[in-house]
Amino acid sequence: MCSGVRLLKQTDLVTTRYVTFDTDLRLESGRLLGPFTIAYETYGTLNTARTNAILVTHAWTGDCHAAGRHTLEDRNPGWWDNLIGPGKILDTQRFFIICANVIGSCKGSTGPTSIDPKTGRPYRLSFPLVMVRDMVHAHKFLLDHLGIGSLITVIGGSMGAMQALEWGIHYPEVTRSIIPIAGTGRTSPMSIALNAVARQAIYNDPLWKKGNYRSEHPPASGFALARSIGHISFLSDASMDKKFGRRFSVRDGLFDFFGQFEVERYLGYNGTNFVTKFDPNSFLYLAKALDMYDVSWNFPSLEEALSTLHCPSLWFAFTSDWLYRPEQTEEVVDILQGLKKPVEYHLIESEYGHDSFLVEPEKFTPYVVDFLNQIAAKQGV
Amino acid sequence: MCSGVRLLKQTDLVTTRYVTFDTDLRLESGRLLGPFTIAYETYGTLNTARTNAILVTHAWTGDCHAAGRHTLEDRNPGWWDNLIGPGKILDTQRFFIICANVIGSCKGSTGPTSIDPKTGRPYRLSFPLVMVRDMVHAHKFLLDHLGIGSLITVIGGSMGAMQALEWGIHYPEVTRSIIPIAGTGRTSPMSIALNAVARQAIYNDPLWKKGNYRSEHPPASGFALARSIGHISFLSDASMDKKFGRRFSVRDGLFDFFGQFEVERYLGYNGTNFVTKFDPNSFLYLAKALDMYDVSWNFPSLEEALSTLHCPSLWFAFTSDWLYRPEQTEEVVDILQGLKKPVEYHLIESEYGHDSFLVEPEKFTPYVVDFLNQIAAKQGV
């Protein structure tokens, strides 16, 4: 037995659960989606008063497997395992943590790869466009199913931050606080433009066939390229400089037409790798949801939308994030402060671009601990 | 006759000239290129002492048509016509302005679309990789051909700035000063990454055929996408916000899968438009030249490379340029200052990203006028 290494026991394993709601979800577009399934995981134990729940919201290509391992052989734990667990920031000995996959995804919740009950075939492009607000409405069904009427906080980065803000605004009776990380009140034309070229990369692939690719023949080259474009926007000049500099691939000749710098080989490798992990149509639907994201949607103004947020909010932005720039978080924070809302904001010095929230959580988690202690104390947790 | 409008006369028209050098140019790669042709234009008159010449260097997809009109019917003048002409910043009543197309391009100088004399067929991918330094060496042949042994300045933006710096370092006996605008001493991994995904967009197009496309069937969709990716990097979040905001195309439904925001429609339109204007292989070769650009190439260090620059240099960077960030110009300027070189630097406040040097020249041209007056005075011009 290795000293210092906690052996994983069967009881430590987590399982993804699925719940199907045999009802129609009215989407922001006016279209109906139903029945629909939500994939989710939970960590820790719900207390008898049902007051210790926290909802963790995931980003674009994320999933509900936020912590722990599915099997004893799993090499990697869930995507936020460094934050969720016994004695960790989101302490599972104290809190009941829920993470659910968003609709539109391909990771268990209903999306374009799901079977349309009306046709018996996958939805593909007949799947309705969903907005971030729709994702949140769908997850409210899950909370009701679990009998949870109160969330200590909703915490997430990037698209997860958007969901957190929507929870605070649209479910004030449930949401005691929100922690949006590396988010925005509305995506900028720059991020829309980057998603547009990623989309076009998939459209250009003859194997895409307007979404009707066979699963064994996905539009792999277009999809890998789309991922690479996204990938660039998650990094920063400084982080790439640190990781790759101007190093040229040792396998290639500098004056070979197809010779590659290390940074491009890395992007290509990651893009190709990603093809087996995600569905291209889901990628497109979620990109669309990001582009359409605007907290003031169906409100007369951004200010009026934010005036309906009553719970305390804790915001983080990262200096090197050029996808959802700090100014975008600050726009929202400034309005909330102007409205005298209980708001706390930290601009975190980090070189890892948009991905900073995943790479250097230790830079912001101390503030999360303090904030959660205050909110939990009010709930007697 | 319209008052206030100067009527164009036949004598005002400019013509592109071509000169072919029946010799081998030894490239940095060690390969030979020859014979080679340089396309160029000149504006103004060379004085009898041959001391009033200025070389204007163009960017990636630019050409040698920097000013004036080719025909009386031309709707648009050359790309820097607002700076070059009688009484303008680069005053053709005083200076003799030369602009030449770089090798590797498809705009008249020898490049991958040219006929390889050894095969009688276009080079395509058998064209050797060229570096910015090679472009400059090729243009030195033009200067010798024109009998010009002295340049008051070499001025250009982006890839033009790289050429200016190479002139100053490698032809100190010719170059009296340089004006690099929105340049860099070496491209960053971020800009290499952006070029890498643009390249991949072309490679992914089945019509590309490893460069062997028929000119009537170019890899149009891949090339348009490549251009769109480049286009994003030339703009800024602020300029896109100003121009497009989050406006959705009035022709599309917001909840249509293929519905577009204005910014994406614009990118698509421009990309498609570009396909008829440039050659995909040339685009790839020049992208490669940008990626490989490093002023310290074949020098022991950046400092040692810059120590060989003796002429005065005037540098401009733009606050919103995230492709060649101001820090990159400042890295070079700081070293030059440390070496006690005659260097002048201005960080220009502009929202137009990398394209600022084309969009808002009036913000930096007053410094150019003063600088040129000093340099010209020393030459008695």
Side-chain angles (χ1 to χ4, degrees):
Chain A
M1 186 174 163
C2 312
S3 63
V5 174
R6 204 172 67 91
L7 275 190
L8 207 62
K9 299 187 302 267
Q10 193 67 40
T11 50
D12 291 329
L13 297 180
V14 296
T15 311
T16 302
R17 291 193 174 77
Y18 303 86
V19 52
T20 298
F21 300 97
D22 192 14
T23 182
D24 281 330
L25 179 69
R26 181 170 294 276
L27 302 171
E28 292 297 321
S29 64
R31 282 185 64 182
L32 302 174
L33 178 67
F36 66 95
T37 297
I38 298 297
Y40 69 100
E41 294 190 3
T42 65
Y43 320 101
T45 309
L46 186 63
N47 64 13
T48 46
R50 298 178 170 267
T51 52
N52 68 333
I54 286 177
L55 182 65
V56 167
T57 47
H58 71 73
W60 191 354
T61 60
D63 55 35
C64 67
H65 183 38
R69 285 174 160 82
H70 285 155
T71 68
L72 293 175
E73 293 73 35
D74 263 8
R75 292 180 57 186
N76 296 314
W79 57 270
W80 235 4
D81 190 76
N82 51 351
L83 261 67
I84 303 169
K88 296 183 185 176
I89 306 297
L90 303 179
D91 187 350
T92 49
Q93 290 168 334
R94 184 178 179 199
F95 301 118
F96 178 63
I97 316 287
I98 309 158
C99 184
N101 185 221
V102 299
I103 55 170
S105 178
C106 56
K107 295 290 191 180
S109 292
T110 299
T113 57
S114 307
I115 300 297
D116 179 353
K118 291 180 195 67
T119 65
R121 293 160 57 187
Y123 279 104
R124 301 180 183 274
L125 297 204
S126 73
F127 193 76
L129 285 196
V130 294
M131 296 184 81
V132 172
R133 195 166 298 172
D134 296 316
M135 300 170 186
V136 168
H137 288 323
H139 285 171
K140 178 61 165 60
F141 279 80
L142 172 66
L143 254 61
D144 291 345
H145 165 76
L146 296 174
I148 293 168
S150 172
L151 291 169
I152 289 196
T153 202
V154 184
I155 179 171
S158 195
M159 192 178 83
M162 300 171 183
Q163 293 171 67
L165 180 54
E166 296 288 312
W167 271 101
I169 287 179
H170 297 281
Y171 296 106
E173 72 284 9
V174 173
T175 314
R176 304 282 167 254
S177 76
I178 59 171
I179 308 179
I181 307 168
T184 176
R186 46 191 172 199
T187 45
S188 72
M190 171 71 89
S191 73
I192 294 171
L194 289 163
N195 282 352
V197 289
R199 262 193 285 282
Q200 196 60 50
I202 296 174
Y203 297 169
N204 278 3
D205 193 322
L207 289 178
W208 184 59
K209 300 175 194 290
K210 291 219 165 175
N212 293 309
Y213 47 89
R214 301 217 309 262
S215 58
E216 62 275 31
H217 293 299
S221 51
F223 191 30
L225 176 56
R227 174 59 173 188
S228 297
I229 294 168
H231 202 146
I232 292 173
S233 71
F234 304 152
L235 304 177
S236 77
D237 218 341
S239 67
M240 287 194 213
D241 218 17
K242 197 173 264 180
K243 193 161 183 174
F244 309 107
R246 289 181 44 85
R247 282 194 305 283
F248 205 76
S249 168
V250 288
R251 305 185 315 181
D252 300 343
L254 179 63
F255 291 104
D256 293 349
F257 184 85
F258 290 103
Q260 292 190 312
F261 284 83
E262 277 296 338
V263 65
E264 62 186 312
R265 205 154 71 88
Y266 169 79
L267 285 172
Y269 170 79
N270 263 271
T272 305
N273 210 17
F274 184 68
V275 170
T276 58
K277 295 182 181 163
F278 212 82
D279 173 66
N281 286 345
S282 264
F283 183 89
L284 293 167
Y285 272 88
L286 297 181
K288 208 74 186 168
L290 293 169
D291 291 353
M292 293 201 292
Y293 181 66
D294 184 345
V295 63
S296 71
W297 166 255
N298 271 346
F299 285 93
S301 70
L302 186 56
E303 187 148 299
E304 294 197 59
L306 294 173
S307 72
T308 66
L309 180 72
H310 300 297
C311 69
S313 58
L314 171 62
W315 299 77
F316 299 104
F318 299 88
T319 48
S320 59
D321 185 349
W322 60 279
L323 185 64
Y324 300 163
R325 288 176 297 111
E327 295 90 315
Q328 293 175 245
T329 291
E330 287 157 14
E331 182 188 28
V332 173
V333 166
D334 286 352
I335 293 174
L336 289 172
Q337 283 173 337
L339 293 165
K340 311 281 183 213
K341 303 284 183 183
V343 53
E344 182 179 333
Y345 166 63
H346 300 277
L347 176 60
I348 307 294
E349 196 74 47
S350 176
E351 284 190 344
Y352 292 95
H354 188 59
D355 267 354
S356 296
F357 81 96
L358 293 170
V359 182
E360 298 195 311
E362 66 280 9
K363 288 198 171 168
F364 66 86
T365 48
Y367 302 109
V368 172
V369 171
D370 290 349
F371 182 82
L372 276 184
N373 280 338
Q374 287 169 42
I375 305 291
K378 280 193 234 165
Q379 307 301 314
V381 173
Chain B
M1 185 174 168
C2 310
S3 62
V5 175
R6 202 173 69 93
L7 273 190
L8 207 63
K9 299 187 302 267
Q10 194 67 39
T11 50
D12 292 329
L13 297 182
V14 296
T15 312
T16 302
R17 290 192 175 79
Y18 303 85
V19 54
T20 297
F21 301 96
D22 192 13
T23 183
D24 281 330
L25 179 69
R26 180 169 295 274
L27 302 171
E28 293 295 323
S29 64
R31 283 185 62 180
L32 301 173
L33 178 68
F36 65 94
T37 298
I38 299 296
Y40 69 101
E41 294 190 2
T42 66
Y43 322 101
T45 309
L46 187 62
N47 64 12
T48 47
R50 298 178 170 267
T51 53
N52 68 333
I54 286 178
L55 182 64
V56 166
T57 46
H58 70 72
W60 190 354
T61 59
D63 56 34
C64 67
H65 183 39
R69 284 176 162 78
H70 285 155
T71 69
L72 293 175
E73 293 74 34
D74 264 7
R75 291 179 59 187
N76 296 315
W79 57 270
W80 234 5
D81 191 76
N82 51 350
L83 259 66
I84 303 168
K88 297 183 184 176
I89 306 297
L90 302 179
D91 187 351
T92 49
Q93 290 167 336
R94 184 178 179 200
F95 301 118
F96 178 63
I97 316 286
I98 309 157
C99 184
N101 186 219
V102 299
I103 55 169
S105 176
C106 54
K107 296 290 191 179
S109 292
T110 299
T113 57
S114 306
I115 301 296
D116 179 353
K118 291 181 196 68
T119 64
R121 293 158 58 187
Y123 280 104
R124 300 178 183 277
L125 297 205
S126 72
F127 193 76
L129 286 196
V130 295
M131 295 185 81
V132 172
R133 196 166 298 171
D134 297 316
M135 301 171 185
V136 167
H137 289 323
H139 286 171
K140 177 61 167 56
F141 281 79
L142 172 66
L143 251 62
D144 291 344
H145 166 77
L146 296 174
I148 293 169
S150 173
L151 291 169
I152 290 197
T153 203
V154 184
I155 179 171
S158 194
M159 192 177 81
M162 299 172 184
Q163 293 171 70
L165 180 55
E166 295 288 311
W167 271 99
I169 286 179
H170 297 281
Y171 295 107
E173 72 285 6
V174 174
T175 314
R176 304 282 166 256
S177 75
I178 59 171
I179 310 180
I181 308 168
T184 176
R186 46 189 171 201
T187 44
S188 71
M190 172 71 90
S191 74
I192 294 172
L194 289 162
N195 282 353
V197 290
R199 262 192 285 282
Q200 195 60 48
I202 296 174
Y203 297 169
N204 278 1
D205 192 322
L207 289 178
W208 185 58
K209 301 175 195 290
K210 290 218 166 179
N212 293 309
Y213 47 88
R214 301 217 309 264
S215 59
E216 63 274 31
H217 292 299
S221 52
F223 191 29
L225 175 55
R227 174 61 172 186
S228 297
I229 293 168
H231 202 143
I232 291 174
S233 71
F234 305 152
L235 305 176
S236 76
D237 218 342
S239 67
M240 287 194 211
D241 217 18
K242 198 174 260 179
K243 193 161 183 175
F244 310 106
R246 290 183 43 87
R247 281 194 306 282
F248 205 76
S249 167
V250 289
R251 305 184 317 181
D252 299 342
L254 179 63
F255 291 104
D256 293 349
F257 183 85
F258 291 102
Q260 292 189 311
F261 284 83
E262 277 296 338
V263 66
E264 62 185 312
R265 205 152 74 88
Y266 169 80
L267 285 173
Y269 171 79
N270 263 273
T272 306
N273 211 18
F274 184 69
V275 171
T276 59
K277 294 183 182 162
F278 212 81
D279 171 66
N281 286 345
S282 264
F283 184 88
L284 291 168
Y285 272 87
L286 298 181
K288 207 75 186 167
L290 293 168
D291 290 354
M292 293 200 293
Y293 181 65
D294 184 346
V295 64
S296 71
W297 166 253
N298 270 346
F299 285 94
S301 68
L302 186 56
E303 187 148 295
E304 294 196 60
L306 295 173
S307 71
T308 66
L309 180 73
H310 300 296
C311 70
S313 58
L314 171 62
W315 300 77
F316 298 104
F318 299 88
T319 48
S320 58
D321 185 349
W322 61 278
L323 184 64
Y324 299 164
R325 288 173 298 112
E327 293 90 316
Q328 293 176 245
T329 291
E330 287 157 14
E331 181 188 27
V332 173
V333 166
D334 286 351
I335 294 174
L336 290 172
Q337 283 174 337
L339 293 165
K340 311 282 183 211
K341 303 285 181 183
V343 52
E344 182 179 334
Y345 166 63
H346 300 277
L347 176 60
I348 306 294
E349 196 73 48
S350 176
E351 284 189 344
Y352 291 95
H354 188 60
D355 267 353
S356 297
F357 81 96
L358 293 170
V359 182
E360 298 194 312
E362 66 281 7
K363 288 200 170 167
F364 66 86
T365 48
Y367 301 109
V368 173
V369 172
D370 290 349
F371 181 82
L372 276 184
N373 280 339
Q374 289 170 39
I375 305 291
K378 281 191 235 167
Q379 306 300 314
V381 173

